[in-house]
Amino acid sequence: MDGAAQTGDRLRDVPVRVSAEYQGRPGDIARGRELARRFLARVRAAQGAPVSDRAVEVVQLVVSELLTNACKYAPGPSLVDLELTGDRVEVTVWDSQPVLPVAETADPGRVGRHGLEIVMAVCQSFEVHREPVGKRMRAAVGLADHLNDTAALGQPA
């Protein structure tokens, strides 16, 4: 795991972070979700952080949606960074496409292309920055249920 020193089974340096590179091949999105699941399991075990099951699902969803967009619309590799920052996980996806994504107007009749809308609805924050080569998308997800915006999903907060 990058950015973390280990003492036995306990991680002692913050921030805790993991990174992976993907090439847009079949199975990359599933590998990205697995990266997120393993990372949060390690955060739970090593840091003793209160990571809700819902937070694990939301982080996997965010990784899946952002990595899907990178694989679908950007030529070349993409990078996924997951970083524990206090009571949340920051999911960062970099790709080589400089065009910034824009959420489309809500349309219940539209099939597909709802990923960015979903990400923006379930995250504490979402931002996109153009980079010298491509762009960087960053979303923050709270680790505990009370820190997530569950009202956006029609559930009580």
Side-chain angles (χ1 to χ4, degrees):
M1 184 168 283
D2 298 340
Q6 295 186 14
T7 304
D9 290 329
R10 305 252 336 145
L11 299 174
R12 62 181 170 89
D13 288 344
V14 176
V16 176
R17 182 177 178 190
V18 66
S19 299
E21 179 179 334
Y22 300 95
Q23 300 296 324
R25 295 187 182 119
D28 280 354
I29 287 83
R31 284 187 282 279
R33 286 192 304 266
E34 180 62 17
L35 176 77
R37 189 195 63 72
R38 285 192 329 263
F39 172 73
L40 291 172
R42 184 132 186 216
V43 166
R44 274 181 175 157
Q47 293 288 330
V51 180
S52 72
D53 291 341
R54 183 178 182 287
V56 173
E57 292 171 5
V58 170
V59 171
Q60 288 182 96
L61 173 67
V62 170
V63 168
S64 180
E65 292 297 337
L66 296 180
L67 189 55
T68 296
N69 287 347
C71 291
K72 188 172 181 178
Y73 299 112
S78 55
L79 302 173
V80 174
D81 290 328
L82 302 170
E83 184 173 1
L84 176 64
T85 57
D87 60 356
R88 65 189 197 167
V89 171
E90 289 191 357
V91 176
T92 304
V93 176
W94 170 88
D95 68 42
S96 60
Q97 177 58 261
V99 176
L100 302 181
V102 177
E104 295 188 31
T105 305
D107 179 0
R110 183 176 70 235
V111 176
R113 299 186 332 263
H114 294 281
L116 192 55
E117 294 171 60
I118 293 168
V119 168
M120 293 170 70
V122 299
C123 292
Q124 291 178 329
S125 65
F126 177 75
E127 57 189 49
V128 181
H129 298 280
R130 198 170 270 119
E131 296 292 335
V133 177
K135 68 180 168 296
R136 177 177 34 94
M137 299 173 284
R138 178 174 291 148
V141 177
L143 293 176
D145 285 336
H146 71 279
L147 299 173
N148 290 314
D149 185 11
T150 56
L153 296 175
Q155 300 172 357

